[in-house]
């Protein structure tokens, strides 16, 4: 086999393939090489037909050359390669068996015709493209002119009709053009605006960076800046604006002009100032309110350079009574008068007065010598309140309690300072009011701890942090253990074991004393039942449980006691409820009714701390008590021998009176054997104190009872 195509069509396709491979690399077309081959195949057939025609037709070669241009084979190299292919392969593949010399001559003539057709088509295409470009340029020039005219018209409309002020100046500050809005901002005089240079528009309230930014812009170091700036109008009033200044450059990028956009914010600023005033001042008195005071206090306590501050925290004494009796309108008038007086007390530089709310006011002084100044300020305030205030024909006496905090700046935050002043003020109020007290870190710490205990009380009961210790009650006649007093303790996670004096007043204040007291009663009664089961042969051991005044007024006291006794199976005679003498002074029948019901059931009622309440001894006949617990203050004189004869007479008289009323006498605080013996001689029935045993766990009482039983 020779590898040559057999048929004419195959030879023609082979010629087209060689042609496409030659011109494809330099053809500006998106076609693939096979797709280009399909475009060249008809041209190859046209050349083949022209090669074998009876007479020569140059038009066939010219049409092939023009077709190459139409196929985007416009590179001169494409023509050269096409002619080389025709010269080398047209006769070989398409000449068949004709006379070779004649065929080569005709092939040469076809090549000349192709070149002529290629050149003519390329020239016509170039002329057409030039014409198109020329027309496009004419159209573009017309469009640009129209657009420029429209743009200038739009710019003029925007410039003149804009609601914000617009001004254009050169880099030397000469004002070249301003719009109507800017003229109206400055009073409407164009000469008054354009006659001044930009650097002349200074104002005392200009921010320090305003003119630095301006200089950077005109030097080309900054493209734009935005500031809030005030200007003087011709009439001397202030014009406040939001000002944006931009740098305009020429076509070569060189700075040329400055463009200012100005928004009038004068009314908005006045409104903001008014809103700011209302947000930082008390509506009733006009004094600064808590918000503004905290801002000033924060600055005062954070100032450096050896600065100090002094704070007076004032709360009016008895103000609630005035509101309740005369009405809130009278109370408001009183507050206004007090505010005026306080304002007159703080007029020196660095001093201010504010109302925190209600009847609470604060006065602040700052400077290097506030240790002396704050005391003088407190004196002025107290003196200012001395004169009565006349309201609706009445003269009202005004009293106040002041807490003072003074110290160097930088050591405490504003919240800590105010808290200390508040605590100190309440300390002054607790001391009787109408006075001022100086802050004491130790007193603050105690108050903070007390507050922490108050908030922790409810959860402590739920978590089981309370427990009970028992102090034996001893019969003075034979020394036997008569029973025990239940004393509740709090095992605090941070503070350790706390006695009842630390948390019972807090529980009474919060109302938690009722559930806590119920829990103590339930635990104590259950423990008494266990003691009875262990000491059935030696007689029942009684349990004494304290009742607070809040529990006395609780409607569920009697029913709770009955339910607990029945649930635990303890006789009422084994329970004694202790009530302080002060809780029953002047008690009416409604308060005594639950105690009488309990006494009728067999529960003993003991009058605790007897002798400290200055009660009328004749009242003992009407109280449902069966035991007097003599306060330890009466027996302290018996700790040494010989005993104080005055104490002996007092105790002897109380015991004689109690026995005449068929009341038993228990003595607290017995610490020595001499005391115990003397009290036995005087006829006291039972006693308790460290001489016998300190309060302890229930097992301690069990051990003492066993010792007593074995003798």
């Amino acid at each position: 086999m020779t590898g040559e195509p057999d048929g004419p069509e195959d030879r023609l396709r082979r010629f087209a393939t060689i042609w496409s491979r030659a011109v494809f690399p330099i053809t500006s077309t998106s076609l693939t090489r096979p797709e280009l081959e399909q475009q060249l195949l008809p041209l190859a057939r046209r050349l083949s037909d022209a090669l074998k025609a009876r007479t020569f037709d140059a038009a066939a070669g010219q049409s092939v050359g023009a077709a190459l241009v139409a196929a985007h084979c416009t590179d001169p190299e494409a023509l050269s390669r096409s002619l080389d292919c025709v010269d080398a392969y047209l006769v070989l593949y398409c000449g068949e068996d004709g006379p070779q010399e004649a065929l080569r001559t005709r092939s040469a003539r076809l090549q000349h015709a192709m070149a002529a057709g290629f050149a003519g088509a390329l020239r016509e295409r170039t002329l057409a493209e030039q014409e198109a470009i020329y027309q496009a340029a004419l159209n573009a020039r017309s469009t640009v002119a129209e657009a420029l005219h429209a743009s200038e018209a739009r710019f003029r409309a925007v410039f003149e009709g804009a609601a914000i002020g617009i001004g254009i100046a050169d880099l030397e500050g000469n004002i070249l053009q301003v719009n109507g809005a800017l003229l109206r901002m400055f009073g409407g005089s164009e000469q008054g605006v354009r006659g001044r240079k930009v650097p002349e528009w200074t104002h005392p309230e200009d921010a320090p960076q305003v003119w630095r930014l301006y200089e950077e812009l005109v030097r080309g170091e900054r493209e734009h800046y935005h500031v809030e700036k005030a200007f003087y109008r011709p009439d001397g009033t202030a014009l406040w604006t939001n000002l944006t200044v931009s740098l305009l450059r020429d076509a070569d990028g060189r700075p040329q002009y400055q463009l200012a956009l100005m928004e009038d914010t004068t009314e908005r600023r006045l409104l903001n100032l008014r809103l700011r005033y209302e947000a930082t001042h008390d509506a009733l008195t006009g004094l600064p309110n808590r918000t503004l005071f905290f801002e000033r206090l924060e600055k005062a306590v954070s100032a450096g350079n050896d600065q100090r501050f002094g704070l007076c925290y004032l709360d009016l004494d008895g103000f609630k009574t005035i509101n309740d009796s005369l009405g809130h309108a009278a109370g408001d008038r009183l507050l206004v008068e007090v505010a005026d007086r306080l304002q007159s007390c703080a007029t020196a530089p660095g001093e201010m007065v504010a109302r925190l709310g209600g009847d609470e006011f604060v006065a602040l002084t700052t400077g290097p010598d506030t240790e002396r100044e704050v005391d003088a300020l407190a004196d002025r305030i107290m003196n200012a309140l001395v004169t009565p205030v006349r309201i609706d024909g009445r003269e009202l006496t005004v009293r106040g309690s002041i807490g003072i905090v003074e110290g160097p700046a930088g050591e405490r935050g504003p919240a800590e300072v105010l808290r200390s002043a508040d605590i100190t003020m309440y300390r002054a109020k607790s001391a009787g009011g109408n006075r001022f007290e100086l802050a004491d870190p130790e007193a603050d710490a105690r108050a903070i701890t007390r507050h922490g205990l108050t908030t922790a009380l409810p959860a402590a009961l739920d978590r089981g942090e309370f427990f009970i210790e028992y102090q034996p009650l001893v019969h003075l006649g034979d020394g036997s253990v008569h029973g025990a007093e239940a004393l509740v303790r709090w095992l605090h996670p941070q503070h350790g074991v706390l006695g009842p004096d630390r948390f019972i007043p807090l529980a009474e204040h919060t109302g938690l004393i009722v559930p806590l007291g119920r829990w103590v009663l339930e635990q104590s009664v259950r423990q008494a039942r266990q003691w009875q089961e262990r000491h059935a042969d030696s007689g029942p051991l009684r349990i004494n449980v304290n009742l607070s005044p809040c529990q006395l007024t609780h409607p569920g006291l009697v029913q709770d006691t009955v339910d607990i006794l029945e649930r635990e199976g303890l006789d009422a005679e084994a329970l004694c409820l202790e009530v302080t003498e002060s809780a029953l002074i002047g008690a009416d029948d409604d308060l005594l009714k639950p105690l009488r019901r309990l006494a009728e059931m067999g529960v003993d009622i003991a009058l605790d701390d007897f002798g400290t309440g200055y009660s009328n001894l004749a009242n003992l006949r009407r109280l449902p008590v069966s035991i007097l617990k003599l306060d330890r203050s009466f027996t302290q004189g018996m700790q040494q021998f010989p005993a104080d004869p005055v104490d002996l007479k007092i105790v002897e008289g109380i015991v004689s009176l109690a026995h005449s009323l068929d009341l038993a006498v228990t003595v607290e605080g017995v610490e020595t054997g001499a005391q115990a013996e003397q009290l036995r001689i005087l006829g006291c029935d039972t006693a308790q104190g460290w001489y016998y045993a300190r309060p302890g766990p229930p097992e301690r009482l069990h051990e003492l009872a066993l010792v007593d039983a074995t003798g």
Side-chain angles (χ1 to χ4, degrees), residues 284-346:
L284 176 64
T285 63
L287 292 178
N289 62 8
R290 178 183 292 270
T291 301
L292 182 55
F293 170 72
F294 256 95
E295 292 179 6
R296 298 283 182 85
L297 180 61
E298 187 169 13
K299 291 180 181 178
V301 301
S302 59
N305 300 325
D306 299 325
Q307 291 296 301
R308 302 180 70 87
F309 70 93
L311 174 65
C312 296
Y313 194 118
L314 168 68
D315 184 89
L316 301 182
D317 298 333
F319 179 72
K320 184 177 184 301
T321 303
I322 295 175
N323 267 344
D324 293 343
S325 59
L326 302 181
H328 288 276
D332 288 347
R333 292 171 61 185
L334 175 63
L335 292 175
V336 171
E337 176 63 27
V338 170
D340 290 342
R341 296 185 184 185
L342 295 180
Q343 188 72 62
S344 66
C345 296

Side-chain angles (χ1 to χ4, degrees), residues 274-435:
R274 179 61 185 173
L275 294 176
R276 165 68 178 170
Y277 180 87
E278 293 178 354
T280 56
H281 287 75
D282 178 50
L284 176 64
T285 63
L287 292 178
N289 62 8
R290 178 183 292 270
T291 301
L292 182 55
F293 170 72
F294 256 95
E295 292 179 6
R296 298 283 182 85
L297 180 61
E298 187 169 13
K299 291 180 181 178
V301 301
S302 59
N305 300 325
D306 299 325
Q307 291 296 301
R308 302 180 70 87
F309 70 93
L311 174 65
C312 296
Y313 194 118
L314 168 68
D315 184 89
L316 301 182
D317 298 333
F319 179 72
K320 184 177 184 301
T321 303
I322 295 175
N323 267 344
D324 293 343
S325 59
L326 302 181
H328 288 276
D332 288 347
R333 292 171 61 185
L334 175 63
L335 292 175
V336 171
E337 176 63 27
V338 170
D340 290 342
R341 296 185 184 185
L342 295 180
Q343 188 72 62
S344 66
C345 296
T347 57
E351 293 182 345
M352 74 168 295
V353 173
R355 181 190 179 200
L356 297 186
D359 59 334
E360 295 180 339
F361 298 85
V362 285
L364 178 67
T365 181
T366 58
D369 191 24
T370 54
E371 291 178 279
R372 178 185 58 81
E373 292 172 356
V374 72
D375 288 340
L377 179 59
D379 282 331
R380 292 198 299 272
I381 292 174
M382 297 301 293
N383 291 332
L385 299 178
V386 168
T387 305
V389 178
R390 289 192 61 85
I391 296 178
D392 296 334
R394 296 183 177 88
E395 283 195 352
L396 302 180
T397 301
V398 183
R399 292 159 49 95
S401 301
I402 299 177
I404 298 177
V405 178
E406 193 280 334
E411 293 187 355
R412 289 177 287 181
E416 183 182 357
V417 169
L418 195 62
R419 179 178 63 182
S420 178
D422 190 19
I423 293 172
T424 308
M425 179 272 293
Y426 277 106
R427 186 152 51 86
K429 193 176 287 289
S430 299
N434 198 33
R435 58 188 296 158

Side-chain angles (χ1 to χ4, degrees), residues 636-669:
Q636 288 178 345
M638 302 179 189
Q639 291 182 4
Q640 296 180 351
F641 185 84
D644 188 327
V646 175
D647 288 344
L648 290 176
K649 287 293 184 182
I650 293 175
V651 173
E652 182 180 13
I654 293 174
V655 172
S656 176
L657 172 64
H659 287 169
S660 67
L661 297 174
D662 199 21
L663 303 176
V665 177
T666 298
V667 184
E668 297 179 298

Side-chain angles (χ1 to χ4, degrees), residues 66 69 74 115-131:
V69 174
T74 56
F118 182 91
L122 188 59
R123 183 177 63 254
E124 291 178 0
R125 175 173 175 167
T126 302
L127 291 174
E129 289 178 349
Q130 290 177 346
E131 180 64 21

Side-chain angles (χ1 to χ4, degrees), residues 461-476:
L461 184 58
D462 295 335
R463 289 195 296 260
E465 295 177 2
F466 293 98
F467 67 97
I468 299 175
E469 290 186 331
Y470 299 89
Q471 186 170 38
L473 287 163
V474 178
H475 196 285
L476 286 173

Side-chain angles (χ1 to χ4, degrees), residues 319-635:
F319 179 72
K320 184 177 184 301
T321 303
I322 295 175
N323 267 344
D324 293 343
S325 59
L326 302 181
H328 288 276
D332 288 347
R333 292 171 61 185
L334 175 63
L335 292 175
V336 171
E337 176 63 27
V338 170
D340 290 342
R341 296 185 184 185
L342 295 180
Q343 188 72 62
S344 66
C345 296
T347 57
E351 293 182 345
M352 74 168 295
V353 173
R355 181 190 179 200
L356 297 186
D359 59 334
E360 295 180 339
F361 298 85
V362 285
L364 178 67
T365 181
T366 58
D369 191 24
T370 54
E371 291 178 279
R372 178 185 58 81
E373 292 172 356
V374 72
D375 288 340
L377 179 59
D379 282 331
R380 292 198 299 272
I381 292 174
M382 297 301 293
N383 291 332
L385 299 178
V386 168
T387 305
V389 178
R390 289 192 61 85
I391 296 178
D392 296 334
R394 296 183 177 88
E395 283 195 352
L396 302 180
T397 301
V398 183
R399 292 159 49 95
S401 301
I402 299 177
I404 298 177
V405 178
E406 193 280 334
E411 293 187 355
R412 289 177 287 181
E416 183 182 357
V417 169
L418 195 62
R419 179 178 63 182
S420 178
D422 190 19
I423 293 172
T424 308
M425 179 272 293
Y426 277 106
R427 186 152 51 86
K429 193 176 287 289
S430 299
N434 198 33
R435 58 188 296 158
F436 59 81
E437 294 281 349
L438 296 177
D440 176 19
E442 294 183 1
D444 289 356
R446 288 194 298 270
I448 293 170
T449 300
R450 186 164 58 248
H451 175 72
L453 294 178
T454 302
T455 57
L457 268 171
L461 184 58
D462 295 335
R463 289 195 296 260
E465 295 177 2
F466 293 98
F467 67 97
I468 299 175
E469 290 186 331
Y470 299 89
Q471 186 170 38
L473 287 163
V474 178
H475 196 285
L476 286 173
D478 56 12
S480 62
V481 177
H482 183 71
E485 180 180 359
L487 301 171
V488 64
R489 306 285 191 257
W490 183 2
L491 182 57
H492 193 278
Q494 284 80 39
H495 303 291
V497 177
L498 303 178
D501 59 315
R502 294 287 302 277
F503 62 87
I504 290 298
L506 305 180
E508 291 177 338
H509 179 70
T510 60
L512 189 69
I513 191 64
V514 173
L516 178 60
R518 187 185 303 114
W519 178 84
V520 171
L521 180 61
E522 185 173 6
Q523 297 297 315
S524 303
V525 168
R526 182 177 299 132
Q527 185 59 58
R529 178 60 182 167
Q530 294 175 4
W531 285 333
Q532 286 193 0
E533 292 175 351
R534 291 186 177 185
H535 305 284
D537 298 336
S538 59
L541 292 177
R542 300 165 58 81
I543 186 68
N544 286 29
V545 179
N546 292 281
L547 287 182
S548 77
C550 294
Q551 289 176 276
L552 289 177
T553 59
H554 191 265
L557 172 63
V558 176
Q559 190 59 50
D560 285 346
T561 305
V562 171
D563 292 344
I564 291 172
L565 290 173
E566 291 180 351
R567 184 166 58 250
E568 301 300 335
L570 186 71
D571 293 336
E573 290 78 7
L575 174 64
C576 177
L577 298 177
E578 298 187 9
V579 184
T580 59
E581 179 186 21
S582 58
L584 296 182
I585 292 178
D588 55 18
D589 289 340
D590 290 337
L591 182 62
L592 297 176
K593 187 179 298 182
L595 292 181
R596 288 196 177 101
R597 290 181 58 190
L598 291 170
E600 291 169 358
M601 291 165 44
V603 176
D604 281 331
I605 307 297
L607 194 60
D608 197 11
D609 297 334
F610 181 76
T612 61
Y614 307 102
S615 63
N616 187 347
L617 297 180
N619 284 337
L620 290 175
R621 298 179 61 87
R622 57 184 289 269
L623 300 178
V625 299
S626 55
I627 300 171
L628 292 186
K629 291 196 71 173
L630 194 61
D631 186 72
R632 67 183 64 219
S633 60
F634 290 101
T635 62

Side-chain angles (χ1 to χ4, degrees), residues 33-89:
R33 209 276 311 163
E35 291 173 341
L36 179 61
E37 179 183 334
Q38 291 299 317
Q39 279 197 347
L40 295 179
L41 183 59
L43 302 183
R45 182 174 287 110
R46 194 179 306 170
L47 289 175
S48 176
D49 293 342
L51 179 66
K52 296 181 291 186
R54 183 181 298 274
T55 59
F56 176 74
D57 185 4
Q62 293 174 356
S63 67
V64 171
L68 285 174
V69 174
H72 302 289
C73 298
T74 56
D75 192 289
E77 182 66 19
L79 176 62
S80 176
R81 292 188 181 187
S82 296
L83 296 178
D84 289 344
C85 285
V86 172
D87 183 55
Y89 298 103

